[in-house]
Amino acid sequence: RASSGGVDDRSPQSVSRMSLLRFGERLFKSVAKSYQANVARSLNEYGLRLDDILVEEDPDVAMALKRLPPHELQMRARRLKRAMDISFKRKPLPPEIQALQDPMKPYLSPLIEEAKARRIERELLNTYT
């Protein structure tokens, strides 16, 4: 593309900067994917889901846990108890049971986002009163 002065906007510096940014982006995505697979593998060993290890003292997580259906709350408690038992025995979950697990499947995250949105809305409304 030519600018209004007839000079090309794609100088060698901007082209190399763009290619460096693309490389960095691909590298970041690769590292993130590898990290996510490692976290999933670790959670699988204990039979946990990612939402199971969130900090319960966070106000948004606490509100989401209150809104969680009783069946999901019971399943969460069972997963946490099983994980503590597995940790105490220092023996990972059998591979056939690990294969059935989906540690990255969210069950609490949508409720956390909803609680967070409500909290922010409430804070904004209270600011202008």
Side-chain angles (χ1 to χ4, degrees):
R1 251 185 246 177
S3 65
S4 59
V7 180
D8 189 6
D9 285 342
R10 292 188 168 217
S11 67
Q13 289 103 359
S14 67
V15 170
S16 65
R17 189 174 302 139
M18 286 175 42
S19 63
L20 185 61
L21 284 174
R22 277 192 225 121
F23 172 75
E25 200 173 284
R26 279 186 269 145
L27 179 65
F28 180 77
K29 285 181 182 179
S30 173
V31 170
K33 190 175 182 180
S34 174
Y35 177 74
Q36 187 177 17
N38 192 19
V39 168
R41 190 171 32 258
S42 296
L43 289 172
N44 250 348
E45 288 179 6
Y46 294 96
L48 291 171
R49 288 189 182 175
L50 187 61
D51 287 351
D52 291 337
I53 61 173
L54 296 175
V55 179
E56 294 179 14
E57 284 79 27
D58 182 280
D60 298 328
V61 174
M63 183 58 72
L65 284 170
K66 288 178 185 175
R67 293 183 177 159
L68 198 62
H71 173 73
E72 279 293 334
L73 199 56
Q74 184 180 33
M75 296 302 293
R76 179 179 193 273
R78 287 180 180 173
R79 283 191 300 272
L80 290 169
K81 285 180 184 178
R82 178 177 59 188
M84 284 188 277
D85 186 52
I86 288 170
S87 176
F88 179 73
K89 292 178 181 176
R90 298 184 187 265
K91 187 176 180 184
L93 204 59
E96 58 273 3
I97 296 178
Q98 284 187 33
L100 300 173
Q101 304 296 315
D102 187 6
M104 295 306 193
K105 181 180 178 186
Y107 68 94
L108 192 60
S109 297
L111 294 173
I112 293 171
E113 292 302 317
E114 182 182 321
K116 188 177 202 176
R118 286 181 182 214
R119 179 182 50 81
I120 290 171
E121 181 180 2
R122 191 171 37 257
E123 287 172 359
L124 286 173
L125 288 173
N126 288 337
T127 333
Y128 297 109
T129 56

